């Protein structure tokens, strides 16, 4: 009895086992102050499933446990058990109990203006010897920064902190002065390349697909996946103009898959992720005359369209688009679905004019065009197979398939080079670049600048003399290569440079780069 009593007394004195809190409680205790109520983001990014869909599950666990270098995100490995961390990560990938909402009022309230556009100087403030059209904008995803690079000397002019998880493809004003970024959690940023400073920012949604800038430099259109909206902004300071719900003909809401500017048409073209429709939204005041019967309602007030021109011309489709590409005239859209179907849509007649014999998952948005012997070609990599498909754009027929070591994401070229460069970053051969001769449609060479590391996303200087290659690692590099001899010229340290964009090539719609 004495022994039993002693054991009971000892058990009463021992600390009770600590039970793991619910993931919701863990979020409230450790995450809410920075990531916001409802996981919608605050001083730190949103933690919704849509925000995390491009981040590997292992990386989410690592960030919770160990933190993220060069940020205010500290790790909680000393406070949370492995079970707690796993439960929290799984909970973050699940939809919240209450559907997050983001209204026009939320958008308007979020806008921050750092400098008045009217006070900006007319000319660049950096050295006169620097060509403002040969600058590169480099998106570094490793620590969420952007570098501005002088494309003549290959020297950084500045490096600044960006919003979390920028979309890899920033857009430029027609004169090349301003660059517009969109982050995955809804922030749109206007940055001045003449003075190297941020002009304004605004949050247009909780998850944004991308933005487009009108050819007249007046408008920025953002396409969201959460909520399902398009948001029109005044390009000069990002003042909100109008928000339109994205609904198909039956009234069903749809996420935006992509939005692009069709410059020669003075319109935006929008692909829907959940509806078999393609939208065209004209910003041409003469749209009603160009397209008889098109309800345009282009009313002006204080220099802005107040009741708006966001009345889309809808092209009904027999498939949901995942990706698309314009021909040189912007009359035709080559479109592909995730199921491997591809077709050509005429934007004037709003009808399908051809089927394309493409398999796998062609990455049309990363395609290029080129001309040889009077023929017009388009070439695209494939996300599911090691090949580049070449299409005759005069007959809408596949010409050939060029084998590569593995599935690739980016294909790039330039008018002044006979070669096109494609990566294999979606495959185990991620360190290999294939260089294709556009004249013979054959492989000219394969190149591995950093064996074992991801070699991807080539972009050319304004004159096409040099190719810049991303080593997409953290830390990584930007490697400058002579485009004629394929010899390395220079290497710059970078933090996972997922993309870099030459101002001249972008604003002049180079045939060798994405638009």
């Amino acid at each position: 009895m004495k022994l039993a009593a002693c054991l009971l007394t000892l058990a009463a004195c021992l600390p009770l086992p600590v039970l793991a809190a619910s993931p919701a409680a863990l979020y409230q205790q450790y995450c809410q102050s920075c990531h916001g109520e409802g996981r919608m983001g605050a001083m730190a990014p949103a933690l919704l499933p849509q925000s995390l869909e491009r981040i590997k599950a292992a990386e989410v666990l690592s960030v919770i446990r160990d933190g993220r270098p060069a940020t205010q995100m500290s790790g909680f490995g000393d406070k949370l058990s492995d079970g707690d961390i796993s439960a929290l990560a799984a909970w973050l990938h699940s939809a919240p109990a209450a559907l997050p909402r983001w209204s026009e009022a939320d958008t308007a309230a979020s806008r921050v203006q750092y400098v008045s556009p009217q006070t900006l100087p007319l000319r660049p403030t950096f050295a006169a010897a620097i060509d403002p059209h040969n600058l590169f904008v480099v998106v570094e995803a490793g620590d969420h920064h952007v570098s501005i690079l002088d494309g003549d000397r290959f020297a950084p002019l500045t490096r600044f902190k960006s919003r979390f998880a920028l979309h890899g493809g920033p857009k430029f004003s027609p004169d090349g002065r301003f660059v517009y970024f969109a982050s995955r959690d809804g922030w749109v940023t206007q940055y001045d390349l003449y003075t190297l400073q941020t002009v304004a920012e605004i949050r247009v949604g909780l998850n944004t697909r991308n933005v487009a800038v009108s050819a007249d430099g007046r408008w920025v259109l953002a396409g969201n996946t959460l909520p399902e909206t398009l948001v029109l902004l005044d390009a000069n300071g990002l003042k909100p103009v109008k928000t339109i719900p994205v609904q198909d003909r039956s009234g069903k809401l749809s996420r935006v898959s992509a939005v692009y500017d069709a410059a020669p048409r003075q319109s935006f073209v929008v692909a829907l992720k959940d509806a078999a429709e393609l939208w065209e939204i004209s910003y041409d005041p003469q749209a009603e005359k160009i397209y008889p019967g098109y309800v345009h309602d282009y009313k002006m007030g204080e220099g802005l369209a107040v009741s708006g021109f966001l009345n889309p011309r809808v092209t009904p489709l027999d498939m949901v688009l995942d990706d698309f590409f314009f021909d040189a005239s912007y009359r035709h859209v080559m479109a592909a679905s995730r199921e491997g179907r591809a077709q050509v849509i005429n934007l004037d007649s709003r009808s399908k004019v051809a089927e394309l014999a493409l398999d796998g998952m062609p990455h049309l948005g990363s395609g290029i065009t080129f001309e040889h012997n009077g023929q017009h070609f388009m070439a695209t990599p494939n996300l599911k197979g090691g090949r580049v498909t070449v299409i005759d754009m005069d007959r809408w027929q596949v010409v050939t398939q060029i084998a590569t070591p593995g599935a690739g994401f980016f294909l790039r070229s330039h008018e002044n080079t006979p070669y096109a460069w494609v990566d294999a970053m979606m495959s185990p051969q991620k360190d290999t670049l294939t260089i294709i001769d556009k004249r013979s449609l054959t492989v000219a060479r394969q190149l591995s600048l950093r064996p074992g590391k991801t070699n991807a996303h080539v972009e050319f200087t304004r004159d096409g003399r040099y190719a810049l290659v991303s080593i997409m690692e953290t830390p990584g590099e930007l490697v400058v290569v002579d485009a004629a001899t394929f010899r390395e010229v220079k290497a710059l340290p970078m933090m996972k440079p997922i993309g870099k964009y030459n101002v001249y090539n972008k604003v002049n719609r180079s045939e060798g780069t994405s638009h």
Side-chain angles (χ1 to χ4, degrees):
M1 292 290 296
K2 290 185 178 180
L3 178 60
C6 289
L7 289 174
L8 288 172
T9 303
L10 178 63
C13 296
L14 290 174
L16 294 172
V18 178
L19 299 176
S22 70
L26 292 175
Y27 178 86
Q28 199 71 18
Q29 181 176 356
Y30 295 104
C31 314
Q32 185 270 336
S33 60
C34 292
H35 293 277
E37 197 70 42
R39 299 149 58 185
M40 290 170 54
M43 61 182 292
L47 293 178
L48 298 165
Q50 296 89 337
S51 313
L52 300 172
E53 63 184 359
R54 290 176 177 269
I55 302 176
K56 295 179 180 178
E59 183 179 349
V60 174
L61 291 170
S62 174
V63 171
I64 296 174
R65 181 183 297 109
D66 305 319
R68 190 181 289 277
T71 73
Q72 293 181 340
M73 175 65 193
S74 58
F76 297 104
D78 59 339
K79 299 179 179 67
L80 300 176
S81 68
D82 288 345
D84 285 340
I85 292 172
S86 296
L88 178 57
W91 183 76
L92 293 175
H93 279 95
S94 65
L99 182 67
R101 298 185 181 277
W102 193 258
S103 66
E104 282 188 300
D106 293 323
T107 295
S110 72
R111 179 176 174 268
V112 181
Q113 182 169 304
Y114 300 100
V115 59
S116 171
Q118 287 71 32
T119 65
L120 294 172
L122 298 178
R123 299 180 183 278
T125 56
F126 42 74
I130 297 175
D131 179 1
H133 273 190
N134 200 30
L135 298 179
F136 284 84
V137 175
V138 186
V139 176
E140 299 181 63
D143 61 354
H144 308 290
H145 277 71
V146 172
S147 287
I148 308 300
L149 187 71
D150 175 4
D152 292 312
R153 298 180 298 121
F154 304 116
L157 299 182
T158 189
R159 188 174 190 266
F160 59 93
K161 185 174 179 57
S162 73
R163 291 287 177 175
F164 175 78
L166 291 187
H167 183 271
K171 301 297 168 58
F172 296 84
S173 60
D175 60 2
R177 171 165 191 166
F178 298 110
V179 58
Y180 298 87
F181 303 97
S183 77
R184 295 295 182 190
D185 58 350
W187 283 96
V188 178
T189 302
Q190 179 186 9
Y191 186 84
D192 181 23
L193 291 172
Y194 281 13
T195 60
L196 304 178
Q197 63 180 327
T198 300
V199 177
E201 290 186 300
I202 189 169
R203 194 178 189 188
V204 297
L206 299 177
N207 192 263
T208 296
R209 183 64 187 90
N210 71 328
V211 297
V213 180
S214 64
D216 59 11
R218 297 187 60 197
W219 313 108
V220 174
L221 185 64
N224 290 325
T225 58
L226 185 68
E228 298 91 341
T229 57
L230 290 164
V231 180
L232 183 70
L233 305 170
D234 178 1
N236 192 30
L238 301 182
K239 293 182 288 292
V241 178
K242 188 173 183 180
T243 297
I244 179 171
V246 179
Q247 297 175 302
D248 67 9
R249 289 159 291 165
S250 69
K252 176 187 173 184
L253 287 170
S254 173
R255 296 167 292 174
V256 174
S257 180
V259 53
Y260 290 105
D261 177 62
R265 303 177 66 83
Q266 296 188 69
S267 67
F268 295 112
V269 176
V270 183
L272 307 187
K273 200 173 186 69
D274 306 303
E277 295 182 0
L278 184 69
W279 288 12
E280 182 174 18
I281 300 169
S282 178
Y283 49 82
D284 185 348
Q286 303 300 314
E288 289 173 301
K289 297 179 181 178
I290 300 171
Y291 308 113
Y294 179 40
V295 180
H296 194 248
D297 196 21
Y298 195 101
K299 297 180 181 179
M300 304 302 293
E302 298 180 357
L304 299 175
V306 290
S307 69
F309 46 76
L310 292 180
N311 300 301
R313 296 178 73 232
V314 177
T315 298
L317 304 171
D318 57 9
M319 67 179 191
V320 175
L321 301 187
D322 184 66
D323 201 6
F324 66 93
F325 186 90
F326 295 105
D327 68 354
S329 70
Y330 283 74
R331 291 182 60 237
H332 295 97
V333 167
M334 285 173 280
S337 72
R338 283 197 168 269
E339 291 72 39
R341 296 183 59 197
Q343 51 191 231
V344 181
I345 310 298
N346 185 296
L347 289 174
D348 291 336
S349 64
R350 290 187 291 164
S351 63
K352 179 178 69 176
V353 297
E355 290 274 354
L356 292 174
L358 301 180
D359 59 355
M361 191 181 291
H363 191 202
L364 298 179
S366 186
I368 64 169
T369 60
F370 59 96
E371 186 177 343
H372 181 58
N373 290 336
Q375 288 182 283
H376 301 90
F377 298 100
M378 183 265 188
T380 176
N382 199 297
L383 300 176
K384 286 189 175 179
R387 58 190 173 277
V388 168
T389 305
V390 182
I391 299 165
D392 182 337
M393 298 177 70
D394 298 318
R395 297 180 298 159
W396 299 121
Q397 294 180 1
V398 173
V399 175
T400 189
Q401 304 262 22
I402 303 170
T404 63
F409 198 91
F410 297 106
L411 176 67
R412 292 290 185 265
S413 187
H414 191 277
E415 299 89 300
N416 295 336
T417 175
Y419 303 111
W421 301 49
V422 64
D423 60 64
M425 65 174 288
M426 309 297 289
S427 76
Q429 289 73 38
K430 63 182 182 177
D431 61 354
T432 304
L433 296 166
T434 298
I435 301 172
I436 297 169
D437 191 319
K438 295 185 292 186
R439 299 160 296 188
S440 63
L441 302 181
T442 59
V443 174
R445 180 166 179 173
Q446 288 182 333
L447 190 65
S448 181
L449 296 167
R450 298 294 185 270
K453 298 183 177 182
T454 303
N455 293 231
H457 194 273
V458 175
E459 182 73 296
F460 289 82
T461 50
R462 171 177 178 165
D463 57 9
R465 183 179 175 185
Y466 298 100
L468 279 66
V469 179
S470 288
I471 307 301
M472 290 189 187
E473 307 287 343
T474 306
E477 295 175 273
L478 204 59
V479 182
V480 182
V481 180
D482 187 301
T485 66
F486 312 130
R487 289 184 299 193
E488 181 175 330
V489 174
K490 190 173 184 177
L492 300 168
M494 295 278 172
M495 294 293 286
K496 196 176 183 180
I498 59 172
K500 63 256 163 244
Y501 305 89
N502 181 270
V503 173
Y504 181 87
N505 292 341
K506 286 299 181 184
V507 300
N508 288 278
R509 300 197 302 277
S510 167
E511 67 179 21
T513 189
S514 62
H515 300 169

